[in-house]
Amino acid sequence: MKQFVASLFLMFFFVVTVSAQRWFGDDGGADMKRNQWGIDLGVGKMTDVDGSVGFSGGIRYQYNVHRFLGVDVFGVNYVGQTVRGEGLGPSVLQAMMGLRGKTPTLYQDISAYLGLRLGYGYDFYVEEGGLALELNLGINITPHLSLGYVFNMQNLKFENASAKYKFNGLRLGFVF
């Protein structure tokens, strides 16, 4: 099932990028940058870990195929959490790609956004890796600043078992 979902996502990603040139020009997307870099910083908690504050941070390259649709071509993401009595606990480094959509302007420069990214993550705490998923939902306060909710899930595969980390947090994003 996971392979089917990943294959379906890759096919959709391919179709969207193939028709990118026509979409961008037809919709008058010339008033926005085609290529953008983004930095995302978050604070929250891993629901499955007995610890205090968790944090996330990452950098991504976004290619806008339409005024309201962008592709996160490549992103590197770090998610970490402290564990009571041990210090730094799960430390996950993820390589991700995905789609990012936004609404038309709601008020002045403010718009809503939704992002979905898939990829692979490796946890240095338990030295295992697996599928990573991230969902972003929030508002673009200005064309360069966003604030929202982030849900990040990291699946880990062991020889005879599997585990998941689920991170929920507040995300502050910068796009330039």
Side-chain angles (χ1 to χ4, degrees):
M1 181 66 178
K2 291 178 187 175
Q3 292 175 343
F4 175 73
V5 171
S7 299
L8 190 62
F9 180 75
L10 287 174
M11 285 188 329
F12 181 72
F13 178 78
F14 178 74
V15 169
V16 167
T17 55
V18 165
S19 58
Q21 294 291 339
R22 185 176 49 83
W23 281 3
F24 199 73
D26 290 349
D27 192 65
D31 62 338
M32 65 183 294
K33 285 185 173 182
R34 183 87 178 210
N35 303 292
Q36 294 180 307
W37 285 93
I39 297 174
D40 299 317
L41 303 171
V43 63
K45 182 157 177 29
M46 287 185 179
T47 56
D48 304 352
V49 177
D50 181 27
S52 55
V53 69
F55 45 90
S56 69
I59 187 166
R60 62 186 169 80
Y61 168 69
Q62 179 178 329
Y63 181 76
N64 295 313
V65 296
H66 187 272
R67 175 181 307 235
F68 304 118
L69 182 65
V71 177
D72 285 347
V73 176
F74 182 74
V76 177
N77 203 29
Y78 175 81
V79 180
Q81 169 113 9
T82 58
V83 175
R84 285 182 180 46
E86 295 183 31
L88 187 62
S91 297
V92 180
L93 188 61
Q94 301 168 329
M96 304 183 98
M97 62 188 285
L99 296 172
R100 182 172 300 269
K102 75 174 193 172
T103 66
T105 302
L106 301 173
Y107 177 75
Q108 293 181 352
D109 284 340
I110 298 174
S111 63
Y113 73 88
L114 175 68
L116 177 66
R117 300 194 305 171
L118 291 172
Y120 180 83
Y122 184 80
D123 183 2
F124 295 98
Y125 185 68
V126 294
E127 298 181 352
E128 294 293 335
L131 180 70
L133 169 88
E134 184 174 272
L135 176 69
N136 300 295
L137 178 65
I139 59 170
N140 296 310
I141 299 168
T142 70
H144 302 287
L145 180 67
S146 65
L147 182 65
Y149 166 77
V150 61
F151 171 77
N152 187 299
M153 185 184 72
Q154 174 65 52
N155 191 20
L156 301 172
K157 291 272 188 183
F158 300 101
E159 288 182 24
N160 298 325
S162 65
K164 290 181 185 171
Y165 295 137
K166 296 177 196 126
F167 178 82
N168 293 286
L170 181 66
R171 174 166 282 176
L172 181 64
F174 305 95
V175 178
F176 50 96

